[in-house]
Amino acid sequence: MIYIANWKMYGNPRDIERLKPVIKLSAHKKFKKIKLIYCPPFTLLDQLNQKLKKTRILIGAQNCHANSDYGPFTGSVNSKMIKSVGAKYVIIGHSENRSIDNNIDINKKIKSAIKEKLNIVFCVGETMKEKKKNLTYRVLKKQIFQGLKNIKNNTNILIAYEPRWSIGTGKVPKNDDLLKTINIIKKLLILKNQSFKKSKILYGGSVNPQNVEEIVKIKDIKGLLVGGASLNPKKFIDIIKKSIN
Ligand code: PGA
């Protein structure tokens, strides 16, 4: 299982010191097979990298600019910069940025991250309005086909299914619904390109210690993208433990 902590626009240097129990867990032989990735805001990447250097925990950024070169883009950070501070991953297409980025922008960002050999966490998901109108298939198809245009899975692209109505709301899809959507994503990925056949699919959206056991009953869910609950090390550890037992 892969666990990604998405800190969003939270966190300051003091929070890094609170990660000791997670570091301890990651070193335990029982958890040898799990992959842990922390995605703090840009401001903490370097410091977190220093802290986690001797551990198995990796770090990633939450977004990147479409241009992988340096340039006059005030307020932006490119994949080269992300890589330079030790990050191995970058989240692209997160729902909270989809109001700014369309599928074409997202495609450019993925390409820029590939150029820098970063691993990508590509987020897809429908809104509640789209779900109610039975547009989930159509929306996911567009996100996957346009987002991955001219891309083969020659690098490590993880697909995170995050229903937009589930993020930060406490609502999670019912398991039969979730299973149906995960199967749709699997089919669409293969339809897009056979190289995505083995792509790992993660789930994200209001994952917490109470609902995680149910979610991971779906065998094709190979990891979790955890937002709010990942800010609390105790909750994050609980999620990991409950999803493994
Ligand atoms: P949440 O966020 O767990 O707070 O719903 C998930 C995400 O945005 O990746």
Side-chain angles (χ1 to χ4, degrees):
M1 283 286 281
I2 302 167
Y3 299 87
I4 304 179
N6 174 15
W7 275 11
K8 310 193 180 199
M9 200 172 72
Y10 295 96
N12 58 46
R14 275 196 312 276
D15 295 305
I16 292 181
E17 292 314 310
R18 295 173 57 218
L19 295 183
K20 267 190 199 136
V22 185
I23 296 173
K24 202 170 153 204
L25 173 132
S26 74
H28 196 287
K29 67 174 189 297
K30 188 175 171 202
F31 299 99
K32 216 170 54 192
K33 286 204 181 131
I34 68 165
K35 206 171 225 175
L36 272 171
I37 302 146
Y38 265 90
C39 298
F42 291 129
T43 48
L44 295 179
L45 276 173
D46 190 29
Q47 198 175 336
L48 193 56
N49 183 44
Q50 301 303 329
K51 178 83 185 172
L52 300 177
K53 241 180 193 157
K54 294 196 182 100
T55 75
R56 294 198 310 107
I57 306 174
L58 299 172
I59 61 162
Q62 298 172 15
N63 201 355
C64 67
H65 193 272
N67 200 330
S68 63
D69 278 326
Y70 298 101
F73 303 105
T74 304
S76 300
V77 174
N78 67 24
S79 23
K80 244 191 246 311
M81 293 159 155
I82 290 169
K83 201 177 165 189
S84 75
V85 288
K88 300 276 187 277
Y89 283 80
V90 58
I91 298 173
I92 297 178
H94 190 279
S95 155
E96 283 150 12
N97 294 321
R98 276 189 181 265
S99 53
I100 309 162
D101 294 335
N102 61 31
N103 289 318
I104 296 161
D105 299 322
I106 290 167
N107 179 252
K108 286 187 192 148
K109 290 186 175 196
I110 294 179
K111 284 178 180 159
S112 85
I114 290 176
K115 211 167 154 193
E116 292 306 318
K117 298 196 168 58
L118 287 169
N119 298 297
I120 294 149
V121 184
F122 172 43
C123 302
V124 296
E126 80 289 359
T127 63
M128 184 46 96
K129 203 166 150 196
E130 289 160 345
K131 181 179 165 59
K132 281 190 175 152
K133 284 190 182 165
N134 277 326
L135 291 173
T136 303
Y137 179 86
R138 222 200 280 179
V139 169
L140 291 173
K141 186 172 179 192
K142 206 166 166 195
Q143 290 175 345
I144 289 173
F145 275 57
Q146 293 188 355
L148 297 176
K149 193 167 177 209
N150 296 326
I151 293 169
K152 282 199 187 103
N153 198 5
N154 48 2
T155 148
N156 193 10
I157 303 182
L158 303 171
I159 316 292
Y161 171 54
E162 296 208 301
R164 295 177 69 177
W165 50 272
S166 173
I167 295 174
T169 59
K171 291 184 197 142
V172 292
K174 292 204 175 65
N175 262 20
D176 48 351
D177 217 14
L178 186 52
L179 179 63
K180 222 166 78 189
T181 317
I182 297 288
N183 282 333
I184 289 177
I185 293 172
K186 274 174 63 184
K187 271 200 203 114
L188 286 170
L189 285 168
I190 296 171
L191 207 60
K192 170 72 191 74
N193 192 304
Q194 280 290 331
S195 68
F196 289 103
K197 201 172 170 184
K198 286 193 181 142
S199 297
K200 291 200 167 84
I201 302 174
L202 279 50
Y203 170 79
S206 292
V207 176
N208 64 37
Q210 286 73 47
N211 60 25
V212 71
E213 281 162 292
E214 194 60 22
I215 294 169
V216 297
K217 278 184 187 159
I218 298 176
K219 290 286 160 268
D220 279 321
I221 292 180
K222 303 292 185 202
L224 300 163
L225 179 48
V226 187
S230 74
L231 286 152
N232 179 327
K234 195 178 162 304
K235 277 192 192 163
F236 196 46
I237 287 176
D238 242 22
I239 288 173
I240 296 169
K241 286 185 172 165
K242 286 192 170 160
S243 60
I244 275 180
N245 291 330

